[in-house]
Amino acid sequence: MSSSDTTETKDTKKKRTRKPRATKSKTKKSEETTPTSAETTAPVAQETAPAPVEEIIPETEEKVEAEDVVPQVDLPKFEKSLADKITQKFGSKAEVAYIRENRIRINVKKEDIKDVALYIRDELNFDHAESVSGVDHPTENEIEVVYHLGSYTDPELGKQILALATSASREADPNPGRDRTRLPSLREIFYSVEFHERECFEMLGVYFDGHPDNRRLLLPEDWADIPPLRKDFSIKGR
C-alpha cells in the first residue's frame, strides 16, 4: 500500500468518527432544554392547592356562630302580664325570679314586702296565702321566707301561685325574738299567714314584727335548743 493510500484511509476514519460525536452532543442539548410534561404541569397544581382551604375557614366560623346562638323561650303571656304590672309599679324594688305556666316568683327586700303584698292583693286580686315556707342559707348569713299566694275570688287566678320572697339576716348564735332575725308580718294583709308565720318563727327563728301572737305552735314551751329547721341543728347523742 502506498503512502497516499495510507493518508486517505486515516482521513476517512477521522471523518467517520467525528460525525457520531456531533450527533451525541446535540441530542444531550435537546434533552436538557426540552421541558417534560411533568415539569410544565407541576406549577399549575401548586397554584390551585390552597383554594379549598380558603373556602373551609368561613364555613367553620359560621357553624361556630350558629352553635353559640341560644334559642329564645316564649314566656306564658298571662303570667308575664302579671309580673310586668308588678315591675312597672315598683321598678328595681321587685325582681322577677322566674315566670312559668301558673307560677311566678318575685323577690323583694324586707323593707318593701308590705307595699308589694298590698299591691298584689288589691290590684292583682291574690286574696290569701296558701303557705309560708323558709330556707336556711348559712353561707349567705340569711334566712329566706317565701309566701305562696293564691286567689279564691278571681277565676282567672284559680291555678296561679305567686311566690313572694324576702330574706332576714341570720344569727350564728340564735336567740329568737331577741336577735336581728326579724321580718315584717303580713298578718294584716293576708289573714291566713297567722299560723304559717308562727311555724316559721319556731322552726327557723324568724320573728315577725306586728304579728299578734308570736308563740310556739308545734314545739314544747320548754324547748331550749336552736330552731330545728336550721342547717346547723343536730340531734343530741347522734
Side-chain angles (χ1 to χ4, degrees):
M1 184 180 293
S2 63
S3 60
S4 61
D5 294 336
T6 305
T7 305
E8 289 178 1
T9 303
K10 290 181 180 180
D11 293 338
T12 304
K13 287 182 180 181
K14 287 181 181 179
K15 289 179 181 179
R16 288 177 183 175
T17 53
R18 286 176 186 173
K19 288 181 179 179
R21 289 180 183 175
T23 305
K24 287 182 180 179
S25 62
K26 289 180 180 178
T27 305
K28 288 182 180 180
K29 288 181 180 179
S30 63
E31 290 177 356
E32 291 174 359
T33 56
T34 304
T36 62
S37 59
E39 290 175 347
T40 55
T41 55
V44 177
Q46 291 176 358
E47 291 177 359
T48 55
V53 178
E54 295 178 357
E55 294 176 359
I56 291 172
I57 292 172
E59 290 178 1
T60 305
E61 292 177 352
E62 289 176 2
K63 288 180 181 179
V64 173
E65 291 176 359
E67 291 175 357
D68 293 339
V69 175
V70 179
Q72 293 183 353
V73 179
D74 293 333
L75 299 175
K77 292 182 179 180
F78 181 71
E79 289 79 357
K80 186 177 184 303
S81 67
L82 295 174
D84 288 344
K85 290 178 182 178
I86 297 173
T87 54
Q88 288 171 6
K89 173 69 176 178
F90 295 99
S92 59
K93 292 181 179 180
E95 176 193 5
V96 179
Y98 60 73
I99 300 174
R100 301 169 188 161
E101 185 177 0
N102 299 325
R103 295 293 184 271
I104 305 168
R105 173 167 169 146
I106 306 293
N107 297 335
V108 298
K109 293 182 179 180
K110 64 180 183 179
E111 296 83 6
D112 303 315
I113 189 168
K114 293 189 75 171
D115 292 338
V116 176
L118 274 171
Y119 178 81
I120 290 172
R121 184 194 69 179
D122 296 343
E123 301 299 329
L124 302 184
N125 297 327
F126 286 87
D127 53 25
H128 72 283
E130 298 193 358
S131 65
V132 182
S133 63
V135 184
D136 183 22
H137 298 286
T139 57
E140 299 168 6
N141 290 322
E142 65 180 24
I143 296 177
E144 182 182 54
V145 175
V146 185
Y147 295 84
H148 302 96
L149 309 178
S151 178
Y152 292 133
T153 57
D154 192 332
E156 286 188 323
L157 303 177
K159 296 182 179 181
Q160 299 293 325
I161 299 295
L162 194 155
L164 181 62
T166 190
S167 297
S169 60
R170 182 186 190 275
E171 295 285 352
D173 185 16
N175 187 7
R178 296 180 180 85
D179 56 22
R180 296 183 299 112
T181 308
R182 311 169 79 94
L183 288 175
S185 173
L186 297 188
R187 164 67 168 70
E188 297 177 355
I189 302 170
F190 300 112
Y191 184 84
S192 57
V193 305
E194 181 172 355
F195 292 101
H196 297 304
E197 288 184 346
R198 285 179 62 182
E199 186 178 359
C200 282
F201 168 62
E202 67 176 350
M203 293 295 177
L204 290 164
V206 180
Y207 187 87
F208 292 89
D209 291 320
H211 193 286
D213 190 11
N214 270 303
R215 290 183 298 123
R216 289 196 175 101
L217 182 64
L218 302 173
L219 296 175
E221 288 297 325
D222 60 348
W223 179 268
D225 209 334
I226 67 173
L229 288 187
R230 285 180 48 133
K231 292 183 178 178
D232 51 354
F233 173 78
S234 60
I235 299 175
K236 299 286 192 272
R238 292 190 182 181

